[in-house]
Each structure stands twice: as structure tokens, then as C-alpha cells.
Amino acid sequence: MKRVMLTSGAEAKIELCDGIILKSRAPKRYRLKEIDERLRRERTKIEAKLIAEARKSGVPTPIIYDVMNCEIQMEYIDGVQLKHVLDANLSERIGELVGLLHTAGIIHGDLTTSNMILAGERIYLIDFGLAYFDQSIEARGVDVHVLFQTFESTHGGHETLIEAFTRGYRKTFKDADDVLQRVKEIESRGRYRTERL
Amino acid sequence: MRRKSKSILGIEGTAWNLSAAIVDQSRVIASAESSYRPMEGGLHPRAAAQHHATHMEQVIHDVLTKGKKNNAKISAVAFSIGPGFGPCLRTVATAARALSLSMNVPLIGVNHCIAHIEIGRWLCNVADPVILYVSGANSQVLSYRDGKYRIFGETLDIGIGNALDKFGRYAGLLHPGGPKIEEIARKAKCYMPLPYVVKGMDFSFSGLTTAAKDALAHAPLGDVCHSFQETAFAMLVEVTERALAHTGKKDILLVGGVGANSRLMEMLNTMCQDRSAKFFAPDKAYMKDNGAMIAYTGLLMLESGAVLSVENSAVRPNYRPDEVEVTWR
């Protein structure tokens, strides 16, 4: 079967093979073999686990078919990235999904509108490569902060989008107000005061 | 002589090294320095500042004498205004203000981190690299965009040099620990797993340092030094590689005192080879804190009009590189 390369980043490559997504982490020659193998194996395992856990908590994610050493086989989601179609209505639904995710104790770690796919009626969250389990207000705050930054940098009318997100987030997550308060605080901190890449 | 270019006197003294240099457009004309080395333990800010105050006259005298022999005429005085130890910064700033007033030339406050970057770009002749800046207190991955050096990722707690020094001190090595750890690591027989912490684009070294200290109870020093270096440097290189991928740039520039570590250079070089990127690092003498980097950055700033009045020359111990308006690029 032919493998078609979809993306190749610094960390992993995504290929499409017979309607199945293959995500694999490439070895890095610069680091010690022991470190390299440990990281790639651990990160692959954790990512697969988090994708499955998120799905259990009610957030649409690709179905995991198999996890090899450093490769995840999963469902291909055929749809459009939210960055191309985002509006207030969709932003509210993102809020609901992130609320469910945070209720389950999961931090996505890279919430951008490129990592969300609208397929039919459902919004899927993809790329859990930087995700981890954490129940702290701080981790959740940073998670939401990253998303707000994307709204600001790539979408017009970000205030409306943030407002809509907030509505959805409050619906599904009981500690939403604490986290949103922390987001404001994070924004005012020195290290975020000046713009980062 | 025939030199038309402006010459700048630069003074650096943010931490342990008091260093002054005279630089013009084409070369480093003169330099002089005096290092504070604690007899035991780490750097004490007040003791370092006292060292600077004691040796300031000699260092300035030396550099000006050497400069005079080369017919350098000072057009401005630049000093590192931050970040750094408050007492050290104030000592250096006081000397710089006095010199600027007595020579009747402009005063320039240079950001220490930016100076590391600019002298690296100058000496390596590299236009627009992704920068890995690693020193005692600082560990950052930066990249220039739109009038500022943007921080792509940085340490969440202590700098890599600080981490090495803390561990070294615990292991009974004299300050600075980095070079000794590098030496001892060569004798290692095996790697032991230590915490590898990269969160998003940021990294953390304090947990690693504690784990390495604990490991000394049951493992040979060589193995722990080796494992510490391999783990910490892999974290730095990983984030640097991501910055390269994210920005689409093709060059890496390594600056800062820890940049002198040959294992770190080797790892960056390997990563660059695999990504068809180019790796640059200035000579070791210009990786550690030095007066030439302050003088050279001062020259760039002078030519773009970024000078200070004495009233506005208060030091900035927490001055971040992404606060600097880059007026010369």
C-alpha cells in the first residue's frame, strides 16, 4: 500500500495509507539512543492514550486502531480545518469541547484552530502530541491562553470569538470561571506581556 | 591613524566577569578584563560587585592605554544595563556614566542578551539565524521578526549554566562547574535516565538538577555528569530544532558562556546536518561575557540613535531581550 506524506514536522510525520493515518516519530541522531528511544516510545504511548481518553470524555477525536513502537495508526478525519471556517457559533462549540477535555483532566497543549477539524456536524480535536494529564488551574489557563492567542493572531473579531468560547466553556466545565480568571492573569505576566512567536 | 570609523568603549559586568573593550566597525581594537572567582560556593552578587569596584580602575586604564596605542578615539561609552545582578550592574553603570561625562561622549545602555546575539552575528557573518542563547542565568531560543528578537522558548526556572553550577557545587567541583562537568563526562561508561522536561516550547532544569544530585548517592560521578549533559542539551536542541522548523530559517547561531561546551556544539551540528541547516558559533572568547559585545552593540545603537541621558540610565536587572526595540536591523 502506498504511503502519502501529509505533513512532516520537527517531531513527527503524518502519512495517509489506505484511508488510515500513520503518525510516527522520527529518530533524532543528535541525542543519545537511550534518550531518543525512551522519548519517542513514551510520547507515542501517551499521545495514543490521551486521544482515547479524550474520546471517552465526549470529545470527538480520531479512533485509535493500533500503537506500534513509535507509530500510531488512527482514523482519518475527512473535513475542513476550523481556521478556514471559524465563526462565533463554532467557537462556542469549541468552548464546550475544551470544557469536557478539562473536566477529564486533560490538557491539549496546542489548542489552535489548525488542530480542529469540522467533519459533517462534528468538531474533532487532533494532534495530541503535546497533551498531558493535569488538573491545575494554571495548566488549563495556559491551554486556553494559547487558543485565545490563535484567535487574536489569525482571526478577525477575536473578542466575539473569545466571548462565544467562554459561553461554551462555562456550559461544560464547572471551574470555568477560575480558569478564565487565570487566563487574564497569565496575559498580564511579564513573560507574556511582550509578544512571543 | 587613517581610521574613520567610530570607536566605542564597552563595559560588561553583569555577573562574574568585568570586561572592557574598544571596538570599531571592523575589529576589536583593545580589551582588558578581570574575573571574580569565589574561593568556595557560588557567586555572591555583593562580592562580585565589590570585585568589579576594586578592579574597575585598572581594567579601564588598561583598555584605554591599549586603545591609545592604536590611535582609537572614543566616540561613545556603552555599558550592559541589564539583565544581571543589581549591585554589579550599578557598579558598571556608575563607571560608564562617569566616563561618558568626563570624555563628553554619548552614553549607551546595552541589553546583555542582545549583545551576545549581535557579536555572534557579526563575528560569524550570519544574517538572520535562529539563536540558542545559553549562559549561567539565561537559556533562550530566539528569532528576529518585525523589529524585535522574539523569544520562542525559554527556561521555566533556572538557566542551564546555573543548573550545571549547582550540580557541580554539590559534587564538590569549584565554580564554574560547566567545564569540569564536561571534562568528567568524557570518562562515563553508561547513561542513566534523568527527567527530561520540555513543556510546549519551554524547558526546565531544576528538577533535572535535583535528580542528578540524588543520583550521586549510587552512581559514579562520570556517569551522572554525562547523563546530566546529554539530557539537558537534548532538551535545548529539541526546542531549537522546533524553532527552525517553525520559522523556516536555515541558520543556527549558538551564543552565551555554555556555548563553549563541545558536546552541545556537536549535538547542534548534527541536528543542523539532518535538517540541511548551517551551524554557527563565535570563538569561545566571545561566547562568555565580554566587553567587546557591549561595545559592538553600542556601535550599532549609536548609529541608529539609541543613546541615553544620564538621568535615564538606571539599570534594569530584569531587562528581557524581547523588550528591546531593534533600531539597527
Side-chain angles (χ1 to χ4, degrees), chain B residues 3 5-6 23-29 122-123 296 299:
Chain B
R3 213 156 271 293
S5 165
K6 286 175 178 160
V23 162
D24 73 8
Q25 198 61 263
S26 56
R27 66 183 178 132
V28 179
I29 298 168
W122 183 43
L123 297 175
Y296 176 69
L299 178 62

Short mmCIF file of all heavy atoms in Angstrom, two decimals, chain B residues 3 5-6 23-29 122-123 296 299:
data_model
loop_
_atom_site.label_atom_id
_atom_site.label_comp_id
_atom_site.label_asym_id
_atom_site.label_seq_id
_atom_site.Cartn_x
_atom_site.Cartn_y
_atom_site.Cartn_z
N ARG B 3 41.98 55.60 10.42
CA ARG B 3 40.68 55.03 10.75
C ARG B 3 39.61 56.11 10.84
O ARG B 3 39.70 57.02 11.65
CB ARG B 3 40.81 54.34 12.09
CG ARG B 3 39.95 53.14 12.25
CD ARG B 3 40.54 52.23 13.30
NE ARG B 3 41.48 51.30 12.72
CZ ARG B 3 41.15 50.34 11.90
NH1 ARG B 3 39.92 50.20 11.51
NH2 ARG B 3 42.04 49.51 11.44
N SER B 5 36.24 55.17 11.04
CA SER B 5 35.11 54.59 11.76
C SER B 5 35.11 54.97 13.24
O SER B 5 36.15 55.20 13.84
CB SER B 5 35.18 53.08 11.62
OG SER B 5 34.34 52.47 12.55
N LYS B 6 33.92 55.08 13.80
CA LYS B 6 33.80 55.42 15.22
C LYS B 6 34.27 54.27 16.10
O LYS B 6 34.03 53.11 15.80
CB LYS B 6 32.34 55.72 15.53
CG LYS B 6 31.89 57.05 14.97
CD LYS B 6 30.42 57.25 15.18
CE LYS B 6 30.03 58.62 14.66
NZ LYS B 6 28.59 58.71 14.41
N VAL B 23 35.92 48.85 20.32
CA VAL B 23 35.58 48.20 19.07
C VAL B 23 35.26 49.26 18.03
O VAL B 23 34.71 50.31 18.37
CB VAL B 23 34.35 47.29 19.30
CG1 VAL B 23 33.66 46.92 18.01
CG2 VAL B 23 34.74 46.03 20.07
N ASP B 24 35.63 49.02 16.79
CA ASP B 24 35.12 49.88 15.72
C ASP B 24 34.42 48.99 14.68
O ASP B 24 34.27 47.79 14.89
CB ASP B 24 36.21 50.78 15.12
CG ASP B 24 37.19 50.02 14.24
OD1 ASP B 24 36.95 48.82 13.97
OD2 ASP B 24 38.20 50.61 13.84
N GLN B 25 34.02 49.59 13.59
CA GLN B 25 33.24 48.88 12.57
C GLN B 25 33.88 47.56 12.13
O GLN B 25 33.19 46.60 11.83
CB GLN B 25 33.12 49.83 11.36
CG GLN B 25 32.05 49.48 10.39
CD GLN B 25 30.67 49.51 11.03
OE1 GLN B 25 30.13 48.49 11.45
NE2 GLN B 25 30.09 50.70 11.13
N SER B 26 35.22 47.52 12.14
CA SER B 26 35.87 46.38 11.51
C SER B 26 36.54 45.41 12.47
O SER B 26 36.84 44.28 12.10
CB SER B 26 36.88 46.86 10.48
OG SER B 26 37.79 47.73 11.11
N ARG B 27 36.81 45.84 13.71
CA ARG B 27 37.55 44.90 14.57
C ARG B 27 37.48 45.30 16.04
O ARG B 27 37.05 46.40 16.39
CB ARG B 27 39.02 44.86 14.14
CG ARG B 27 39.69 46.19 14.38
CD ARG B 27 41.12 46.24 13.90
NE ARG B 27 41.61 47.59 14.15
CZ ARG B 27 42.78 47.85 14.73
NH1 ARG B 27 43.57 46.89 15.11
NH2 ARG B 27 43.14 49.10 14.94
N VAL B 28 37.96 44.37 16.89
CA VAL B 28 38.13 44.65 18.31
C VAL B 28 39.53 45.25 18.47
O VAL B 28 40.53 44.59 18.21
CB VAL B 28 38.00 43.37 19.16
CG1 VAL B 28 38.20 43.67 20.63
CG2 VAL B 28 36.65 42.71 18.91
N ILE B 29 39.59 46.53 18.88
CA ILE B 29 40.87 47.23 18.93
C ILE B 29 41.65 46.90 20.20
O ILE B 29 42.85 46.69 20.17
CB ILE B 29 40.63 48.76 18.86
CG1 ILE B 29 39.97 49.09 17.52
CG2 ILE B 29 41.94 49.53 19.04
CD1 ILE B 29 39.44 50.51 17.43
N TRP B 122 27.89 39.22 14.10
CA TRP B 122 28.98 39.97 13.48
C TRP B 122 30.16 39.06 13.17
O TRP B 122 30.65 39.00 12.03
CB TRP B 122 29.39 41.09 14.46
CG TRP B 122 30.45 42.02 13.96
CD1 TRP B 122 30.54 42.58 12.73
CD2 TRP B 122 31.56 42.53 14.72
NE1 TRP B 122 31.62 43.41 12.67
CE2 TRP B 122 32.27 43.41 13.88
CE3 TRP B 122 32.01 42.36 16.03
CZ2 TRP B 122 33.41 44.09 14.30
CZ3 TRP B 122 33.13 43.05 16.46
CH2 TRP B 122 33.82 43.90 15.60
N LEU B 123 30.64 38.33 14.18
CA LEU B 123 31.84 37.50 14.01
C LEU B 123 31.60 36.31 13.09
O LEU B 123 32.51 35.87 12.39
CB LEU B 123 32.35 37.02 15.38
CG LEU B 123 32.80 38.13 16.34
CD1 LEU B 123 33.16 37.55 17.69
CD2 LEU B 123 33.98 38.91 15.76
N TYR B 296 30.38 46.57 20.61
CA TYR B 296 29.90 46.42 19.24
C TYR B 296 28.40 46.74 19.14
O TYR B 296 27.96 47.45 18.24
CB TYR B 296 30.18 45.00 18.71
CG TYR B 296 29.58 44.81 17.34
CD1 TYR B 296 30.12 45.48 16.24
CD2 TYR B 296 28.45 44.02 17.15
CE1 TYR B 296 29.55 45.34 14.98
CE2 TYR B 296 27.88 43.88 15.90
CZ TYR B 296 28.43 44.55 14.81
OH TYR B 296 27.86 44.42 13.58
N LEU B 299 27.89 50.32 19.27
CA LEU B 299 28.16 50.96 17.99
C LEU B 299 26.92 50.93 17.09
O LEU B 299 26.54 51.94 16.49
CB LEU B 299 29.34 50.24 17.31
CG LEU B 299 29.76 50.72 15.93
CD1 LEU B 299 30.22 52.17 15.97
CD2 LEU B 299 30.88 49.85 15.37
#
